[in-house]
Amino acid sequence: MYPSRFRYEAPRSLAEAVGLLHDGGDYAKVLAGGQSLVPLMKLRFASPELVVDINNVPGLDYHRADPDGTLRIGALCRHADLERSDLLKTTQPTMASAAPLIADPIVRNRGTLVGSLCHADPQGDWASVVLALGGSVVARGPRGTRAIALADFVTGPFQNVLDQDEIAVEAVIPAAQGTRSGGYLKLERRVGDFATVGVAVALETSGETVTRAGIALTGVGGSTIAATEAAGALTGRPLTVENITRAADLAAQAARPRTDHRGSAEYKRHMVRTFVVRLLSRADAAAERAA
């Protein structure tokens, strides 16, 4: 199937892109990687009258760390850039763990992290990773720039809080206040598939004590789930077997899976519990090796 007729614009500045969106009204869409929008248009699940392609806007293809350790990821930074990033491998274990698991190589070469966050697919991997890390999205519009915590950014399946004339220009991961560890595990039917279950764990530790914990779940609810009680069970405590088990149980309780062709709700909760135990046990082992 072919998409409906649409007008195509390729602005060369953010100001021009925002102006086009503002004038285009409710029937304008932003194109970055196109790995979500284009398939939707081909199936006519989305029929924008105006497509604003921001790939000619300079200065949005970066990922870099500020002097204080804050990580910034531009709207045109591709999944493949993050997969190959030495910066992520040395400073962002949860993100480095997730990057090779995003879809397939074709999608990773064109798709973007910021676009994935905006798409707000409940089975999208990056949203749980950024949520576990306490990240945010920076939006630019005619009224200026604002930062939106990811916990507030997604309002439901395929829905976010961006105004129609705003563009998400950057994702921000705050600097760690301790030693960072964690990872991402994903159950998929085949390589490149959407997650049946995904779990992101991001920890910061000082000595043997967890000073900050983030746990977020993919594919087991109507949107990405922050397992806040599970994370709270770890904060201020060491990674003992008892604390790990309690966090895993609470994370499984936070999941809201449905029985479908991918598996039963009980099975998916079991996998959440298993993945949390596995990730936390790995983090504990890594801390022991470093000590």
Side-chain angles (χ1 to χ4, degrees):
M1 187 180 295
Y2 293 99
S4 302
R5 292 173 63 90
F6 61 91
R7 173 180 153 216
Y8 172 84
E9 296 285 352
R12 295 185 176 274
S13 71
L14 269 178
E16 184 184 357
V18 168
L20 286 165
L21 283 178
H22 182 73
D23 294 340
D26 292 337
Y27 296 98
K29 292 289 185 183
V30 173
L31 174 69
Q35 301 306 296
S36 300
L37 178 61
V38 171
L40 290 175
M41 290 174 63
K42 290 177 71 174
L43 293 169
R44 299 203 178 188
F45 291 152
S47 299
E49 295 178 2
L50 169 65
V51 172
V52 179
D53 184 346
I54 63 171
N55 280 277
N56 290 328
V57 176
L60 294 178
D61 59 350
Y62 59 87
H63 70 284
R64 59 174 181 258
D66 290 347
D68 69 352
T70 299
L71 178 66
R72 300 183 181 276
I73 304 157
L76 294 179
C77 180
R78 314 294 173 179
H79 304 307
D81 297 331
L82 300 174
E83 181 182 10
R84 295 189 291 262
S85 170
D86 290 333
L87 175 62
L88 261 60
K89 291 173 184 175
T90 56
T91 65
Q92 296 284 347
T94 305
M95 297 187 73
S97 177
L101 302 180
I102 306 300
D104 56 48
I106 295 174
V107 171
R108 290 199 294 274
N109 281 332
R110 290 301 303 168
T112 65
L113 178 146
V114 172
S116 178
L117 298 181
C118 292
H119 186 50
D121 189 332
Q123 292 178 297
D125 302 293
W126 279 129
S128 59
V129 171
V130 175
L131 185 59
L133 286 163
S136 59
V137 172
V138 176
R140 181 83 58 83
R143 293 160 296 283
T145 301
R146 60 176 177 144
I148 310 155
L150 195 72
D152 302 320
F153 183 73
V154 176
T155 57
F158 307 103
Q159 297 176 323
N160 63 54
V161 300
L162 288 176
D163 291 335
Q164 187 279 327
D165 53 4
E166 286 185 309
I167 298 174
V169 296
E170 184 180 64
V172 179
I173 307 298
Q177 302 302 309
T179 302
R180 182 167 268 162
S181 62
Y184 183 72
L185 288 173
K186 175 180 179 179
L187 176 67
E188 51 191 349
R189 294 176 298 178
R190 59 186 179 274
V191 175
D193 193 12
F194 289 104
T196 298
V197 175
V199 173
V201 168
L203 301 178
E204 295 172 24
T205 56
S206 178
E208 296 183 353
T209 302
V210 176
T211 55
R212 183 197 173 277
I215 300 176
L217 314 178
T218 301
V220 288
S223 59
T224 303
I225 296 170
T228 52
E229 289 190 27
L234 298 170
T235 306
R237 299 177 174 88
L239 284 175
T240 62
V241 172
E242 180 182 359
N243 290 335
I244 289 173
T245 301
R246 171 144 178 79
D249 288 341
L250 289 169
Q253 291 172 26
R256 300 189 298 272
R258 298 178 61 183
T259 296
D260 57 19
H261 62 286
R262 295 171 180 264
S264 68
E266 181 182 2
Y267 170 66
K268 293 175 185 178
R269 281 199 180 89
H270 170 74
M271 290 309 303
V272 168
R273 185 181 294 105
T274 299
F275 281 169
V276 172
V277 169
R278 192 174 298 172
L279 288 166
L280 292 175
S281 298
R282 287 180 186 175
D284 187 34
E288 288 182 358
R289 288 194 299 268

